[in-house]
Amino acid sequence: MTAAKNRSNPLGTAPVGSLLVQYAIPTIISTLISSLYNMVDQMFIGQRIGFLGNAATTVAYPLTFMCGALTLLFSNGSTVNFNVSNGRGETDEALGFAGAGLTLLTLEGILSALLVFFFTPFFVSLFGSTEQVYPYALTYMRVVAVGLPFLALTSGGTLLIRSDGSPRYALVCSMSGVILNFILDYLFLFPLNMGIAGAALATVTGQVLSAFLVVIYMFRFRTGRLARRHFSVPFGKLKQIVLIGAPGSLNQAAMLVMNLVLNSSLSYYGALSSYGGSEALAAAGVVTKVNFLFYSTIIGCSIGGQPIMGFNFGAGNYGRVKETFSLVIRYAFFIGAVETACFRLFPMQILSLFGNGAGGYEAFALRYMHEFMLLVILAGVLPVSMNTMVSIKRPLNGIIISLSKQMVLIILLLILPRLWGIDGVLRAGPVADFLVAAAAFVVIRAAFMKLDEGEKQKTPSPER
């Protein structure tokens, strides 16, 4: 029965290219929309408040990674196990992973919100705020903390919805929140003049709407009816979820540490340069948000490929796993090339979207685009490789890949600025991108060679 189900499921039989379009396009749009939460805030804040407001959102940005670490631990872990169980024809087991994941996401979001809300001053200082930026960052972060449970439920819930065969509905969940956020950003910042608190409130309101739509979907799950027993979290399922979700979670945790080190380096060495500490923070934040708009499309494509790779790995169709990886990695290089061209050809047009700033702000932003992002074409290798390893249930390889970029960059940020000041900060980016891309390809090649060996062992010898 399982073999028959695998043959009838499009994930195991349809052309990989068309499947990737079907799953990746809605996912790409969804991740783009998610990245627009921060980018839209940055644009409206920059136009209304100025570069100090932009610097405040840069200070708050590590909060995304701090809370995202647990969110990815439970969302990726439950979704991959859901996909693999489906590929094996184990429907009730798949539903159990979906329900357990939703329970863990809800609890994690509530605990994160309480922690950040009651200790906001500590986090603002920890995240590298300057004295000028502190009051803006404090207000923004305290309001945003309220939305963390809804953000966690939306992030993990949309992954499950896509894997359940409803990528368009997942897109609606994400898009509705961003559209509402966009409308409220304008109303709260301009006609109502609510300042940076208004921008944060607009973001939270959009997250609430998206989470509400996710909850509605769970009552009509396509794989099967989610019963109360599916929402329990037995130790066995928790262990499998944590094991598979660990690479993405550790990557987010490492990104948190990296952002703390980067913000501190920008504040300290920027203040010692002609640019200024607050100006360097604001400029790097703007470029980072633009970069993440491109980077999120790569993440979306690699996540969109996960159901295909996970199902075919579970079904033993290793050739389709490698074919999917090949398509996704080519897409990643293309997007990296487009981003590089935009930074080179339209730098001032990009900066103008986020308001005007002091001379040091614009000058440093241009250098950050051209120097720190010099080898951004290679940056997509990491998420594509990591998601591939997770999809084929090689969590150790995924952990190695996920930690490499952040750890290398942290080490470089601790060494190079001591030699060259703010120039050392800028040089750390391309060096890290090159080293990590080379290492990721080595890990991927070794993993695929093992898949080839497994496929040869399954192939029956010809009769003599």
Side-chain angles (χ1 to χ4, degrees), residues 19 154 246 315 335:
L19 281 173
T154 300
I335 290 299

Side-chain angles (χ1 to χ4, degrees), residues 192-265:
L192 298 180
N193 197 25
M194 294 173 64
I196 200 165
L201 181 59
T203 298
V204 171
T205 307
Q207 290 166 347
V208 170
L209 175 61
S210 295
F212 176 72
L213 294 176
V214 167
V215 171
I216 289 176
Y217 181 87
M218 296 307 158
F219 289 100
R220 53 186 183 89
F221 213 60
R222 295 176 64 177
T223 300
R225 182 178 177 274
L226 282 167
R228 180 177 298 179
R229 60 187 171 82
H230 292 130
F231 290 93
S232 63
V233 189
F235 179 76
K237 278 192 169 53
L238 177 62
K239 182 179 178 180
Q240 293 183 66
I241 288 172
V242 170
L243 182 64
I244 296 299
S249 178
L250 289 174
N251 181 50
Q252 289 286 302
M255 288 179 77
L256 168 62
V257 177
M258 183 272 290
N259 269 268
L260 297 181
V261 174
L262 179 58
N263 281 357
S264 296
S265 299

